[in-house]
């Protein structure tokens, strides 16, 4: 089964669950339509290994995170959803090589985009503590001013997001909370006839706002 067909089937299942959930939504429960947004800051690392270590490009430091999840509960407390996320690294990109040449590339945003699907589970008992996981495809881009370009010809890659958090009811269908998330992505590509292998590790503390 191809990656494209797998994603289509996943999104079809999420859409089906979301459509059913409109009919069974009770107040102060996690049993209906699900829409959640997050925004936060944290620490991130990017490493692009070129030609089996001949050169490396790195960016380590402050990063911003934002995500949107849309789906529905299949049983009370267990939700499946589409996940769209972006992490943006702010430190300059630094290139080093075995020849001793070092370069620094200033930019206005190094973006890692994520599109996939996953599940969120609210632990029973009314604590509103939740665990979440998503998997999907990723792309990398760099912004200079108002122009955005693919990074080093990296192909679309793979990513996973793991989340733990807690929310508080502010309305019978609305929750406000905090969450800690870890995002890992990897991708391969070719630049100047040299193989690229890139990975990122992102740690974020975010505010969550959920309609459920």
């Amino acid at each position: 089964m191809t990656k494209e067909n797998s994603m289509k089937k996943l999104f079809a299942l999420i859409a089906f669950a979301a459509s059913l959930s409109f009919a069974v939504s009770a107040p102060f429960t996690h049993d209906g339509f699900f829409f959640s947004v997050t925004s936060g800051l944290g620490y991130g690392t990017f490493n692009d290994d070129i030609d089996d270590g001949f050169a490396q490009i790195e960016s380590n430091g402050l990063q911003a995170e934002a995500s949107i999840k849309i789906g529905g509960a299949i049983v009370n407390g267990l939700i499946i959803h589409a996940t769209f996320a972006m992490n943006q690294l702010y430190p300059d990109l630094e290139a080093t090589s075995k020849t001793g040449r070092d370069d620094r590339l200033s930019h206005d945003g190094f973006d890692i985009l994520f599109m996939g699907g996953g599940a969120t589970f609210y632990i029973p008992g009314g604590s509103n503590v939740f665990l979440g996981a998503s998997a999907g495809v990723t792309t990398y881009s760099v912004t200079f001013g108002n122009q955005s370009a693919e990074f080093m010809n990296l192909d679309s890659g793979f990513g996973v997001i793991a989340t733990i958090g807690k929310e508080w009811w502010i309305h019978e269908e609305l929750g406000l909370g905090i969450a800690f998330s870890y995002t890992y992505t990897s991708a391969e590509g070719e630049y100047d006839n040299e193989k690229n292998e890139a990975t990122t590790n992102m740690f974020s503390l975010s505010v969550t706002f959920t309609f459920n």
Side-chain angles (χ1 to χ4, degrees), residues 46 48 57 93 105 107 109-113 138-144 146-157 187-191 196 198:
F46 167 79
D48 186 14
I57 299 175
L93 292 162
L105 177 64
H107 56 83
F110 176 50
D111 303 326
I112 301 96
L113 303 178
T138 59
T139 59
Y140 301 76
S141 65
V142 183
T143 301
F144 303 97
N146 294 323
Q147 301 295 319
S148 181
E150 281 189 22
F151 181 77
M152 297 292 288
N153 294 329
L154 286 172
D155 299 326
S156 295
E188 295 182 353
E190 192 171 284
Y191 179 75
N196 289 27

Side-chain angles (χ1 to χ4, degrees), residues 8 27 32 49 75 100 110 134 138 146 149 154 182-183 194 200 212:
K8 287 179 181 178
D49 187 49
V75 295
F110 176 50
S134 296
T138 59
N146 294 323
L154 286 172
Y182 167 68
T183 302
E194 303 293 351
T200 65
N212 186 210

